[in-house]
Amino acid sequence: MLPRPLRITRPQDFRLVLRRGRRAGRRRLVVHALPPADVPPTPDRPARAGLVVGRGVGPAVVRHRVSRRLRHLLRPRLEALPAGTDLVIRAQPAAADATSAELGEDLDAALARLRLTD
């Protein structure tokens, strides 16, 4: 589980990232990122992330499994992002059958495309 300071929890924060952030789509997920320059200033706020895993991914058991895998993959990657960055990761239906390694590859590729990591 991600600690509370690393999670996006308010609906208006999700909306802000989805509307104003940059987007990188992959087969299994779409990453929306709002860099620190576009976020209302908060002193020394760490990078945060939120997940959107809708019913199109599958039944509840599958959605929760995908969410757990994504949270596990996000934790080390959030530490490498610039402070104040907000991410929203939307799982696509193909994520239901993906392994953790495949989800990690898609996440890394999307972050690289958004130029948030090397």
Side-chain angles (χ1 to χ4, degrees), residues 47 74-83 85 111 115-118:
L74 268 172
R75 188 148 191 183
R77 288 165 176 86
L78 278 177
E79 295 169 0
L81 295 178
T85 302
L111 291 174
R115 297 185 183 139
L116 295 173
T117 60
D118 295 331

Side-chain angles (χ1 to χ4, degrees), residues 9-52:
T9 56
R10 296 178 4 186
Q12 56 265 39
D13 291 341
F14 272 94
R15 230 177 287 122
L16 180 69
V17 175
L18 292 173
R19 288 185 182 162
R20 292 184 48 204
R22 296 178 309 185
R23 181 179 85 159
R26 307 299 299 168
R27 182 172 169 265
R28 297 172 192 93
L29 50 90
V30 177
V31 177
H32 297 264
L34 191 61
D38 298 337
V39 178
T42 306
D44 299 326
R45 185 175 59 76
R48 302 182 305 167
L51 299 175
V52 178

